Amino acid sequence: MRSDSSSSQDRASLGLRISAWGGLLFLHFPILIIFLYAFNTEDAAFSFPPKGFTLKWIGVAFSRPDVLEAIKLSLQIAAIATLIALILGTLASAALYRRDFFGKQGISLMLILPIALPGIITGIALLATFKTLGIEPGVFTIVIGHATFCVVIVYNNVIARLRRTSYSLIEASMDLGADGWQTFRYIVLPNLGSALLAGGMLAFALSFDEIIVTTFTAGHERTLPLWLLNQLSRPRDVPVTNVVAMLVMMVTMLPILGAYYLTRGGESVAGSGGK
């Protein structure tokens, strides 16, 4: 009886593993194709399977001024939007994580709403606002648009860490004569370090490959995702487009993996109040 139950559980476990790997393969197979075609030879650019391997297209992609300008602009916007998100997200989480006051839930909802709304709604709303205020779309408007949803990423990471940090550490610091700034610098900030880094990495990745909101706020500027979108009408540039798409995926994937490894042990941080 016990043997039958054990074999049944093993079969169920095997089925779940197969289903999980099948789902991962289904999700990532198109990405693998892009990686494969980024190294495809010139005469086999449109054939499957690829008939050769070359690094030529990497050199071609990074020698094109339009690609380099798009990369530079995307990095610049992502860095500024991440910095704004780190400041505003940290301040918002510090204000909301412990104190109860009228309207707190409404403020929390408003902070989270930009990332919950469809990107096209956020983009149209931002464009209408900028037009009403007489602000021409450009780098400034792209940064503002990206910061609206990057703040949410930092806010969620920091407030989760603050809730796991024992408030007795802060009280002990104040009892020993530390002022508010000293307590923040020597007690709160070290506990928030990995959460801030993870939130900043996620915000940077999200900003770097954002396209929907950027489409409405970019004006004549062209970030790397917009460059890729424009390349869809140029089939002769497919090999170069594949290389740039691979770059975008790498720049996006690595911060996400880094943030995962930084926060996966967050429940055991010092001062979390665990017993």
Side-chain angles (χ1 to χ4, degrees):
M1 191 78 173
R2 183 175 299 174
S3 176
D4 292 342
S5 176
S6 176
S7 62
S8 177
Q9 290 178 355
D10 289 342
R11 286 195 298 270
S13 178
L14 178 62
L16 289 174
R17 286 198 296 268
I18 293 174
S19 299
W21 283 108
L24 287 173
L25 180 62
F26 176 77
L27 290 173
H28 293 92
F29 182 74
I31 297 177
L32 295 176
I33 293 296
I34 291 294
F35 272 73
L36 190 63
Y37 269 74
F39 302 101
N40 199 9
T41 56
E42 181 177 4
D43 58 351
F46 295 97
S47 64
F48 186 86
K51 295 181 174 62
F53 178 88
T54 180
L55 299 175
K56 170 187 176 181
W57 301 116
I58 296 177
V60 172
F62 285 97
S63 65
R64 289 181 50 164
D66 56 336
V67 174
L68 295 178
E69 289 175 5
I71 293 173
K72 180 181 177 181
L73 180 61
S74 289
L75 290 174
Q76 177 186 357
I77 290 171
I80 299 173
T82 299
L83 179 61
I84 294 173
L86 284 170
I87 296 172
L88 296 182
T90 302
L91 292 175
S93 59
L96 296 175
Y97 92 100
R98 193 167 178 272
R99 302 293 181 184
D100 288 324
F101 54 88
F102 177 76
K104 176 180 177 179
Q105 297 302 321
I107 295 175
S108 299
L109 176 62
M110 295 298 291
L111 281 168
I112 298 172
L113 199 58
I115 204 168
L117 287 173
I120 190 170
I121 301 299
T122 303
I124 291 173
L126 286 169
L127 179 60
T129 302
F130 293 140
K131 290 296 184 181
T132 301
L133 297 176
I135 302 173
E136 288 299 319
V139 175
F140 175 75
T141 57
I142 299 175
V143 169
I144 296 301
H146 287 198
T148 56
F149 52 79
C150 287
V151 168
V152 184
I153 305 297
V154 176
Y155 168 77
N156 284 336
N157 276 273
V158 174
I159 200 167
R161 179 60 57 84
L162 285 172
R163 287 169 177 166
R164 291 197 302 267
T165 301
S166 175
Y167 192 72
S168 61
L169 291 174
I170 299 175
E171 292 176 332
S173 174
M174 303 294 278
D175 288 341
L176 291 172
D179 57 26
W181 167 245
Q182 290 174 322
T183 300
F184 176 78
R185 180 181 177 184
Y186 295 111
I187 303 298
V188 177
L189 195 58
N191 277 285
L192 297 181
S194 60
L196 286 170
L197 183 57
M201 293 169 71
L202 287 171
F204 184 91
L206 188 63
S207 173
F208 186 82
D209 71 348
E210 210 291 322
I211 188 170
I212 300 176
V213 173
T214 311
T215 301
F216 290 94
T217 58
H220 298 293
E221 302 292 340
R222 182 176 295 177
T223 61
L224 200 57
L226 290 180
W227 182 91
L228 282 171
L229 182 64
N230 186 62
Q231 288 298 107
L232 294 177
S233 61
R234 299 179 180 181
R236 292 184 179 275
D237 282 346
V238 166
V240 175
T241 304
N242 289 332
V243 170
V244 177
M246 182 180 66
L247 171 67
V248 172
M249 286 185 283
M250 292 295 293
V251 173
T252 303
M253 178 179 65
L254 293 177
I256 292 174
L257 290 176
Y260 166 73
Y261 282 106
L262 282 171
T263 58
R264 63 175 180 170
E267 66 278 0
S268 60
V269 295
S272 61
K275 296 182 180 180

